[in-house]
Amino acid sequence: MLHLVLIAPEIPHNAGAAGRLALATGSRLHLVKPLGFSLDDKHVRRTGLDYWKDVDLQVWDDFSELRQAAYPSARFWFLSTKAGRAHWDAEFSDGDYLVFGCESRGLPEAMVREAGMHGLRIPMAEASTRSLNLSTAIAITLYEAVRQTGTL
């Protein structure tokens, strides 16, 4: 099973889309507080449609709590436009955690720096845009991990 981690997500639509992606791929969705919305929010449920109740969801008070619970066997990959390595150059394994930051700020730069080779970016044309929509970035990375691990 792959794991999707959203740290401090702000937009319910993106969390709902991530939940739908998690369900479609047999992955677990981890939401790390603070959340910019209520999980009862109609927008989260609407984006997840009637599937939201079936999403394998865990909510954490902070990232260190999640990391400690997954330690030592789990590998974490940190997605950021500030990372140097392309997501398709990673060698994903079943059980990996794909970590994404909030929509307005992304992951803290220190976290990406500390990740080293586990910091990943989705390549984009230089002058095109500063970032992709969070749910789009999740889909791109998750399906590359699914392709490599054969988890479907």
Side-chain angles (χ1 to χ4, degrees), residues 32-93:
V32 179
K33 294 179 181 178
L35 308 180
F37 49 85
S38 164
L39 289 176
D40 295 331
D41 190 307
K42 67 180 180 180
H43 297 294
V44 175
R45 289 193 317 270
R46 184 174 179 203
T47 304
L49 298 173
D50 55 343
Y51 304 117
W52 186 249
K53 67 185 179 337
D54 299 320
V55 173
D56 186 352
L57 174 67
Q58 289 192 291
V59 180
W60 302 89
D61 287 327
D62 58 52
F63 184 67
S64 62
E65 180 185 26
L66 164 60
R67 191 99 190 231
Q68 187 173 26
Y71 184 81
S73 60
R75 285 193 319 169
F76 286 79
W77 298 95
F78 298 85
L79 281 292
S80 172
T81 58
K82 295 167 184 70
R85 188 175 179 204
H87 74 290
W88 53 57
D89 291 333
E91 293 182 17
F92 295 110
S93 297

Side-chain angles (χ1 to χ4, degrees), residues 4-9 14-15 18 29-33 35 98-101 103 134 138:
L4 297 175
V5 179
L6 278 60
I7 296 179
N14 287 326
L29 176 61
H30 301 266
L31 300 179
V32 179
K33 294 179 181 178
L35 308 180
L98 308 176
V99 182
F100 299 85
E103 292 88 342
L134 178 60
I138 292 167

